[in-house]
Amino acid sequence: MINVLEQKEIISFIQSKWVGRDVVCFEETGSTNVEAKVLAEQGAVQGTLVVADSQSGGKGRRGRSWHSPKGSAIAMSLILKPELETDKASMLTLIQAIAVAKALEEICRCKPQIKWPNDVLINEKKVCGILTEMNLNKTEIASIIIGCGVNVNQESFPEDISHIATSLKLETGQMFNRAELIGCICKYFEKYFEEFMVAKDLSGIVAEYNNYLISKGRSVKVLDPQGEFQGEALGINAQGELLVKEKNGGIVEVYAGEVSVRGIYGYV
Ligand code: BTN
């Protein structure tokens, strides 16, 4: 029997003070990020969580699509309305990545890793993707939507992505309660977000994030539209940039926007 995610069950697992205190839950929607944007415009408060049991038009990064099938995945979008400079919004993606990693460790007892900036992996395959979208009112932030998709209980993936995508079920052999995971992700997001809003940078999570960073100490290829280069990934700095040491010893700060980083032999 398929268990459908329900608002009441999610609320029963919320331990945070304000993240996920208001939950809007759909059995199916196009994209929770789109729903969250509309709700934010209609006055939804910071911390409102939009969840769907399945999505028919889930959005991924770089214009790709994201599949959230019925009864087995998490599709959630968090509405934030922070007083923040626009150039800091992308740092929130890294906060969500670490919140997911911590929740997977706590609930699933697995060893997640992060592929900078924001893919969460288990056994070198992607189990979670994050899409952060910022909505402006003239030059100020009206809302930031942190969309997060976690592959929880899927038993298989379409052939074209099965070499890079996985689920918690496939990696651990166990099924997990999606509502419990959502509650735990919200708990960690709130903690790290509050620290971020005091420091106004990622200094509070740099060390922990770098412990999860899969490419740390590995050779990476930086796919910069200005020109590709290779180097050794050292870790992130407090701005969330990836520090890459080039062969000549120079250290390049790679900003997440346009650039993607690959292992020299493939995805990680
Ligand atoms: C990626 O490409 O890695 C990011 C995927 C983000 C998917 C999530 S699922 C919930 C939210 N709603 C969407 O339409 N996308 C994000």
Side-chain angles (χ1 to χ4, degrees):
M1 196 188 82
I2 289 186
N3 141 308
V4 175
L5 258 177
E6 281 178 1
Q7 185 205 40
K8 219 167 124 191
E9 191 187 6
I10 296 168
I11 290 172
S12 75
F13 283 105
I14 295 291
Q15 310 155 57
S16 26
K17 294 188 295 281
W18 56 271
V19 172
R21 281 282 139 200
D22 287 347
V23 177
V24 177
C25 192
F26 296 89
E27 186 163 344
E28 178 172 302
T29 186
S31 156
T32 53
N33 267 29
V34 173
E35 298 287 0
K37 179 182 178 189
V38 172
L39 286 167
E41 284 164 0
Q42 291 170 347
V45 296
Q46 159 148 298
T48 302
L49 188 65
V50 182
V51 180
D53 185 69
S54 69
Q55 293 184 126
S56 53
K59 301 198 288 178
R61 294 178 80 212
R62 297 170 200 276
R64 289 189 280 251
S65 58
W66 181 266
H67 190 51
S68 307
K70 269 192 184 40
S72 58
I74 291 175
M76 59 186 261
S77 299
L78 178 62
I79 298 174
L80 297 173
K81 297 185 165 177
E83 277 183 29
L84 194 66
E85 289 131 54
T86 52
D87 61 350
K88 299 204 167 164
S90 63
M91 295 185 200
L92 298 174
T93 306
L94 282 78
I95 293 179
Q96 179 71 333
I98 200 165
V100 171
K102 294 288 278 185
L104 297 190
E105 242 171 20
E106 182 175 319
I107 307 267
C108 314
R109 305 266 160 223
C110 58
K111 284 249 151 286
Q113 290 186 293
I114 298 175
K115 179 179 178 292
W116 180 85
N118 54 2
D119 288 351
V120 182
L121 316 179
I122 298 180
N123 298 330
E124 310 217 337
K125 285 175 139 188
K126 179 161 165 174
V127 77
C128 163
I130 296 162
L131 175 67
T132 297
E133 297 183 295
M134 178 167 62
N135 304 303
L136 295 178
N137 183 357
K138 298 204 175 106
T139 53
E140 305 218 320
I141 293 177
S143 68
I144 297 176
I145 309 298
I146 317 267
C148 173
V150 187
N151 301 326
V152 183
N153 293 324
Q154 288 103 311
E155 309 259 5
S156 63
F157 284 86
E159 208 181 299
D160 55 327
I161 55 166
S162 61
H163 61 295
I164 50 166
T166 194
S167 69
L168 297 172
K169 165 77 171 63
L170 287 171
E171 296 310 309
T172 65
Q174 278 173 262
M175 306 271 277
F176 293 96
N177 181 327
R178 291 175 292 160
E180 185 181 7
L181 271 165
I182 291 170
C184 197
I185 294 169
C186 289
K187 174 182 79 175
Y188 284 114
F189 184 87
E190 182 174 283
K191 168 179 157 34
Y192 293 119
F193 176 81
E194 287 183 350
E195 287 171 16
F196 166 79
M197 287 305 287
V198 173
K200 291 286 183 323
D201 66 23
L202 298 172
S203 47
I205 65 157
V206 166
E208 228 173 333
Y209 184 98
N210 286 337
N211 282 336
Y212 288 116
L213 187 65
I214 193 157
S215 58
K216 188 157 183 253
R218 291 197 194 181
S219 293
V220 292
K221 199 188 320 177
V222 180
L223 307 175
D224 187 331
Q226 319 272 311
E228 253 179 58
F229 65 94
Q230 281 190 19
E232 180 197 337
L234 301 179
I236 61 158
N237 61 16
Q239 272 60 53
E241 295 159 333
L242 185 69
L243 303 176
V244 178
K245 189 170 164 192
E246 289 190 287
K247 285 215 176 72
N248 64 12
I251 292 174
V252 182
E253 293 165 346
V254 182
Y255 179 73
E258 282 296 294
V259 177
S260 79
V261 171
R262 296 262 176 284
I264 53 172
Y265 302 116
Y267 174 60
V268 292

